[in-house]
Amino acid sequence: MLHNIIPIEENIVMIEHRRGKRYVGKEGSFAVLIRKDEPITIGQIIDISSNGISVRYLSRKPQTVGFSYIKIFATNGHFAHMKRIECQVIYDIQIDKDSWHSLATRRCGVKFGELSIEQKMDLDNFIKQHIIDEN
């Protein structure tokens, strides 16, 4: 299988592994990363597919690669959210060259775990209502 190479920032590229179509997150679409015994992380959705999501957030340290949970919500139009989805953090990189004191802008890529039929329908509706532009 051939993979697309995606430029993230100058001198930073990633190999695309997602099989589903990627949709760019609109302003007002967010994700919350939840890991046991760690503070939650809230970030803006960069893009989302039926298999995963990438999120931009501010942090002092990267997300640990491994399993956790994610909640997705939107404040564009009317408030909507998806319940907790099991997921796996695949990567976490710093995307800004200069950090602000000890905070840095980071990008985290997450692969969704096995979704129930209800979660698949909720995700599809979320993408249609809060991610895809109607133009």
Side-chain angles (χ1 to χ4, degrees):
M1 175 189 330
L2 293 175
H3 298 288
N4 295 327
I5 296 176
I6 302 169
I8 301 296
E9 286 281 315
E10 186 178 334
N11 300 325
I12 300 175
V13 295
M14 294 181 50
I15 297 175
E16 171 61 72
H17 292 284
R18 287 195 209 161
R19 294 185 188 113
K21 180 170 172 49
R22 217 178 248 249
Y23 301 98
V24 175
K26 287 199 300 192
E27 187 175 327
S29 58
F30 301 95
V32 179
L33 292 159
I34 304 162
R35 188 177 294 274
K36 186 178 179 180
D37 301 326
E38 290 186 21
I40 63 169
T41 300
I42 300 174
Q44 183 177 11
I45 296 173
I46 297 172
D47 57 50
I48 188 169
S49 74
S50 60
N51 302 314
I53 190 170
S54 64
V55 179
R56 176 178 32 251
Y57 69 100
L58 292 173
S59 182
R60 294 173 190 225
K61 64 178 187 167
Q63 292 292 309
T64 308
V65 173
F67 290 95
S68 62
Y69 295 93
I70 194 165
K71 288 185 179 184
I72 301 169
F73 68 97
T75 60
N76 46 17
H78 65 283
F79 183 80
H81 79 283
M82 286 191 62
K83 296 176 184 170
R84 196 165 94 154
I85 301 170
E86 188 173 318
C87 65
Q88 180 179 8
V89 174
I90 302 297
Y91 68 86
D92 189 293
I93 58 173
Q94 184 172 332
I95 58 173
D96 64 352
K97 294 180 182 166
D98 299 314
S99 60
W100 182 67
H101 294 276
S102 61
L103 288 178
T105 304
R106 305 193 63 80
R107 178 181 176 139
C108 179
V110 173
K111 177 182 175 184
F112 297 140
E114 190 66 35
L115 300 176
S116 69
I117 292 171
E118 180 184 358
Q119 286 175 315
K120 287 178 185 178
M121 290 183 347
D122 288 347
L123 180 60
D124 186 50
N125 287 332
F126 184 88
I127 290 171
K128 286 176 183 172
Q129 293 178 15
H130 300 285
I131 301 296
I132 297 175
D133 281 323
E134 296 166 356
N135 299 334

